[in-house]
Amino acid sequence: MAAKEPLVITAKDEMRKWSRKMRSQGKSIGLVPTMGYLHQGHLSLIQEAHKHSHLIVVSIYVNPGQFSPSEDLSTYPSDLHGDMLKLKSVPGGVDVVFCPKNLYDYNNDSDEKQKNKNGNENLGAGGGDGNGVVSCVEEKGSVHETWVRVERLEKGLCGKSRPVFFRGVATIVTKLFHIVEPDVAVFGKKDYQQWRIIQRMVRDLDFAIEIVGSEITRDSDGLALSSRNVHLSPEERQKALSISRSLSKAKAAAKEGQVKCRELKDSAILTITQAGGRIDYAEIVDQENLKSVEEIKGPVVFCIAAWFGKVRLIDNMEIDI
């Protein structure tokens, strides 16, 4: 059977027109948002989306709105040709690949752009999160100034060290939802906080979209798949296995009655630091509200972010005893 050739769309209006035509024919649409450099984890999201919808749209867009100027936007890996080959290999295929060039470029705002260029209204200097922290969108003087925030859920975990990240994620996902108009959207649980934030945003803003969380895909040795793994040296990759191993150890200990979170976290931190990692955070939080807990009494998730070399990795494991 020949591989399915997806339709490639780059324009917002064309994407919206396609979606509305398909929905007028009674077809449901599933969206899998990605930043490209696809791996088996992304492909598993597409397979999950097939369970919930007739047609599949995969977006490929590296979103500058979720990167601060000091982060790795310029080095984020990209391989559109390789991505297309992988998408053709997915059972059931993909119907549309939506890969816009710049979702913060507004062609009818030429006057505003000129003002910004002349320094009369420099959004880059006065924007950000209220504390002077800006994203790459604002740093480049974009006229974009509307942001979506899920205020409480974005504060902990990754939000502590990446203060513009979830504002950028919520905003770009909102834009994609308005452009693609899907019935279902699938997000990986590896970015656990992101998944919960999108769920809450959809609930609070009454999007008529089902949000599906798909389980983490791991290599055979346990490392959670990530596009950033390509930047790990062989030695760093081996050391990074300490993250998943410490999470598995904590889950096993909790099942055996060790429910004091401080002890579980200390053990994981020790394991990772002894392997050469640098901890960003190690937190055990309630699965729904992401509040830190001191003792496991219900469903929790153990979330870890750690640096190995110049690569920041995240992972988590749900614990329900």
Side-chain angles (χ1 to χ4, degrees), residues 142-156:
S142 169
V143 298
H144 182 91
E145 57 179 315
T146 304
W147 300 95
V148 180
R149 307 201 74 147
V150 182
E151 294 186 351
R152 185 178 54 74
L153 288 184
E154 73 172 31
K155 288 181 178 178

Side-chain angles (χ1 to χ4, degrees), residues 160 245 300:
K160 289 182 179 179
R245 287 171 180 167
V300 298

Side-chain angles (χ1 to χ4, degrees), residues 135-314:
S135 71
C136 291
V137 168
E138 293 151 300
E139 185 199 33
K140 293 178 180 178
S142 169
V143 298
H144 182 91
E145 57 179 315
T146 304
W147 300 95
V148 180
R149 307 201 74 147
V150 182
E151 294 186 351
R152 185 178 54 74
L153 288 184
E154 73 172 31
K155 288 181 178 178
L157 303 174
C158 287
K160 289 182 179 179
S161 59
R162 305 189 70 189
V164 301
F165 178 69
F166 289 117
R167 181 195 69 167
V169 168
T171 300
I172 201 64
V173 170
T174 296
K175 288 168 74 70
L176 289 170
F177 285 174
H178 285 314
I179 295 165
V180 179
E181 298 183 346
D183 300 279
V184 178
V186 181
F187 292 82
K189 286 188 180 181
K190 185 176 79 70
D191 298 308
Y192 199 92
Q193 187 177 14
Q194 173 179 277
W195 168 54
R196 289 301 193 190
I197 282 173
I198 298 303
Q199 278 188 324
R200 187 63 50 84
M201 180 189 79
V202 163
R203 185 200 73 177
D204 290 355
L205 298 183
D206 293 312
F207 281 96
I209 301 171
E210 178 187 359
I211 303 300
V212 175
S214 187
E215 299 301 326
I216 296 173
T217 302
R218 301 180 182 277
D219 270 338
S220 57
D221 57 10
L223 186 68
L225 295 186
S226 168
S227 298
R228 288 185 169 93
N229 288 354
V230 69
H231 292 312
L232 293 168
S233 69
E235 182 182 5
E236 288 168 344
R237 192 193 182 287
Q238 191 64 30
K239 291 178 177 179
L241 295 176
S242 60
I243 301 177
S244 59
R245 287 171 180 167
S246 64
L247 288 170
S248 296
K249 181 181 176 182
K251 184 171 184 175
K255 293 286 187 182
E256 293 174 2
Q258 173 54 275
V259 294
K260 299 294 184 182
C261 295
R262 181 72 268 166
E263 296 176 13
L264 294 172
K265 291 189 292 184
D266 285 347
S267 176
I269 290 169
L270 181 62
T271 298
I272 293 167
T273 54
Q274 286 182 337
R278 178 163 52 91
I279 294 289
D280 183 351
Y281 63 78
E283 295 288 345
I284 298 175
V285 300
D286 181 274
Q287 288 185 15
E288 292 290 335
N289 59 37
L290 304 186
K291 290 183 178 179
S292 293
V293 298
E294 296 182 359
E295 185 174 325
I296 300 175
K297 298 178 180 179
V300 298
V301 56
F302 193 170
C303 300
I304 291 176
W307 292 86
F308 285 87
K310 295 182 179 180
V311 184
R312 181 179 180 275
L313 301 175
I314 62 172

Side-chain angles (χ1 to χ4, degrees), residues 13-171:
D13 289 346
E14 185 182 349
M15 182 70 254
R16 191 177 288 115
K17 182 178 179 181
W18 180 89
S19 292
R20 291 180 178 181
K21 180 180 179 181
M22 294 301 107
R23 295 184 74 181
S24 72
Q25 297 173 6
K27 302 289 182 63
S28 59
I29 298 170
L31 171 65
V32 179
T34 82
M35 294 207 301
Y37 209 76
L38 305 180
H39 50 66
Q40 188 57 46
H42 295 110
L43 304 188
S44 72
L45 302 183
I46 297 168
Q47 292 173 298
E48 181 66 31
H50 272 293
K51 301 175 184 178
H52 304 273
S53 55
H54 298 111
L55 303 173
I56 306 298
V57 176
V58 173
S59 64
I60 296 178
Y61 183 67
V62 180
N63 172 35
Q66 68 195 56
F67 291 81
S68 74
S70 63
E71 292 179 324
D72 60 346
L73 174 62
S74 63
T75 60
Y76 196 86
S78 176
D79 180 14
L80 184 58
H81 176 70
D83 289 345
M84 295 301 296
L85 292 176
K86 289 173 184 175
L87 292 175
K88 291 178 187 179
S89 73
V90 179
V94 169
D95 297 280
V96 171
V97 177
F98 178 49
C99 46
K101 292 180 174 61
N102 184 357
L103 287 178
Y104 300 92
D105 181 25
Y106 307 105
N107 294 324
N108 60 341
D109 288 344
S110 56
D111 290 340
E112 287 295 323
K113 288 180 181 178
Q114 190 61 39
K115 284 183 182 180
N116 199 45
K117 183 177 179 181
N118 293 339
N120 294 330
E121 189 178 346
N122 193 334
L123 295 177
D129 69 343
N131 296 311
V133 181
V134 299
S135 71
C136 291
V137 168
E138 293 151 300
E139 185 199 33
K140 293 178 180 178
S142 169
V143 298
H144 182 91
E145 57 179 315
T146 304
W147 300 95
V148 180
R149 307 201 74 147
V150 182
E151 294 186 351
R152 185 178 54 74
L153 288 184
E154 73 172 31
K155 288 181 178 178
L157 303 174
C158 287
K160 289 182 179 179
S161 59
R162 305 189 70 189
V164 301
F165 178 69
F166 289 117
R167 181 195 69 167
V169 168
T171 300

